[in-house]
Amino acid sequence: SSSDSSSSTNKDPGQITRLHTNRGVIDCSVVNDKDQNKAGTVTPIPVVVAAGAWVPHILSLMDWYAPVYPLKGYSMSVSAEEALESSAGGSTKLSEQDLPSRIVADKYMYTTRLGKDEIRITSIGEFSGWSTHPTALVDKEFRREAVRQFPQLETLIDKAVTRCGHRPLVNDGILLLGRVSDTSNVYVSCGPGSNGWKLAMGSGDAVARLIEGQSFQQIQQEMGANVQTFDPSGRVMHAPWFAKLCRARWDI
């Protein structure tokens, strides 16, 4: 869950009690009336902060700092069908053998065939804040490298639209996965960098098990992974003054 403006936290014990969002206030606590032994007690609802590169923004609203940085990636898509059709009347006619059919990777970029028609070209890791607009100089270099690798697609590369997205990169390269220390109901799942699709299902399973109350040892026995390695304790820090500076710097 994410907060659009602010959240309310009880200090002892630390817990999220409600989220203020652009769709109204979400109550994050329930009164337990079913159990006679615990009648009237308030049970906090688990809140999982899994907003990718925007995790630092959300946690800063709670006076927490997370060392997650937006690594901006560049991509463009070229139509294989259009490439074949446009070359039909030219001096150099392309065939399927002239187009990438599987992953092509070198030092500068990755290219893959998605389905029958789309050729996806990706590259670059840029630190330039949270803007998803391409930087002109970087985009120019991106296109130059794409043409170097696929000169037969130069015309289509020149007119392709560059799209940017953020890879959430933790400063030490290790996932942030688990309960935020000194809170009872705040969990974080973030930081796979460019491996988000590879790790998403396992990360979701692990954080669900933690919320259910399983110990690190139980999870390791059942999943075969040492999830404690990803514990955010000592990395996600309660830092009110620094969080305030970050909010001012990020204009949130």
Side-chain angles (χ1 to χ4, degrees), residues 5-20:
S5 56
S6 63
S7 60
S8 298
T9 309
N10 289 340
K11 294 187 179 299
D12 189 22
Q15 66 180 236
I16 297 299
T17 58
R18 61 185 180 274
L19 297 176
H20 297 260

Side-chain angles (χ1 to χ4, degrees), residues 5 8 28 33 37 42 44 47 68 92 115 117 130 132 140 149 155 171 175 177 198 209-210 220 227 229 244-245:
S5 56
S8 298
C28 295
D33 291 326
N37 296 323
V42 177
V47 175
V68 180
T92 305
D117 184 49
W130 278 264
T132 54
K140 181 179 179 181
Q149 190 169 105
T155 301
N171 65 333
L175 284 173
L177 185 67
K198 300 175 188 176
R209 290 171 182 267
L210 289 170
Q220 184 168 359
V227 178
T229 302
K244 185 176 182 179
L245 290 173

Side-chain angles (χ1 to χ4, degrees), residues 39-95:
T41 59
V42 177
T43 303
I45 296 174
V47 175
V48 181
V49 184
W54 280 268
V55 162
H57 283 205
I58 293 171
L59 289 180
S60 74
L61 298 172
M62 310 176 203
D63 286 341
W64 289 82
Y65 172 73
V68 180
Y69 305 95
L71 182 61
K72 184 160 69 175
Y74 285 62
S75 73
M76 67 172 69
S77 293
V78 171
S79 167
E81 183 177 327
E82 186 179 354
L84 295 173
E85 289 179 354
S86 62
S87 70
S91 57
T92 305
K93 184 176 180 179
L94 298 179
S95 66

Side-chain angles (χ1 to χ4, degrees), residues 16-45:
I16 297 299
T17 58
R18 61 185 180 274
L19 297 176
H20 297 260
T21 77
N22 58 355
R23 297 186 180 181
V25 177
I26 301 174
D27 191 0
C28 295
S29 59
V30 294
V31 178
N32 190 339
D33 291 326
K34 296 181 180 180
D35 189 337
Q36 293 182 352
N37 296 323
K38 298 181 179 180
T41 59
V42 177
T43 303
I45 296 174

Side-chain angles (χ1 to χ4, degrees), residues 44 75 89 100 110 117 124-125 148 196:
S75 73
Y110 293 84
D117 184 49
I124 306 298
R148 178 191 63 80

Side-chain angles (χ1 to χ4, degrees), residues 54-214:
W54 280 268
V55 162
H57 283 205
I58 293 171
L59 289 180
S60 74
L61 298 172
M62 310 176 203
D63 286 341
W64 289 82
Y65 172 73
V68 180
Y69 305 95
L71 182 61
K72 184 160 69 175
Y74 285 62
S75 73
M76 67 172 69
S77 293
V78 171
S79 167
E81 183 177 327
E82 186 179 354
L84 295 173
E85 289 179 354
S86 62
S87 70
S91 57
T92 305
K93 184 176 180 179
L94 298 179
S95 66
E96 274 290 345
Q97 287 68 37
D98 297 312
L99 304 177
S101 59
R102 57 180 64 87
I103 293 177
V104 178
D106 67 6
K107 182 179 179 181
Y108 299 101
M109 61 180 50
Y110 293 84
T111 304
T112 188
R113 189 73 167 265
L114 299 179
K116 183 180 179 180
D117 184 49
E118 184 179 359
I119 300 172
R120 176 74 61 82
I121 304 172
T122 65
S123 185
I124 306 298
E126 179 191 11
F127 290 109
S128 60
W130 278 264
S131 170
T132 54
H133 297 291
T135 303
L137 187 61
V138 176
D139 188 33
K140 181 179 179 181
E141 180 67 12
F142 172 43
R143 292 172 182 276
R144 188 185 71 80
E145 286 296 330
V147 171
R148 178 191 63 80
Q149 190 169 105
F150 302 106
Q152 71 274 33
L153 299 176
E154 181 174 6
T155 301
L156 297 181
I157 289 171
D158 286 343
K159 69 178 185 178
V161 177
T162 299
R163 304 185 186 281
C164 297
H166 295 307
R167 306 178 183 108
L169 186 69
V170 180
N171 65 333
D172 58 9
I174 301 174
L175 284 173
L176 294 172
L177 185 67
R179 183 173 59 84
V180 177
S181 58
D182 298 327
T183 71
S184 62
N185 69 328
V186 183
Y187 296 79
V188 64
S189 178
C190 181
S194 59
N195 295 311
W197 288 109
K198 300 175 188 176
L199 302 177
M201 294 183 68
S203 299
D205 188 7
V207 77
R209 290 171 182 267
L210 289 170
I211 290 172
E212 290 172 354
Q214 287 192 13

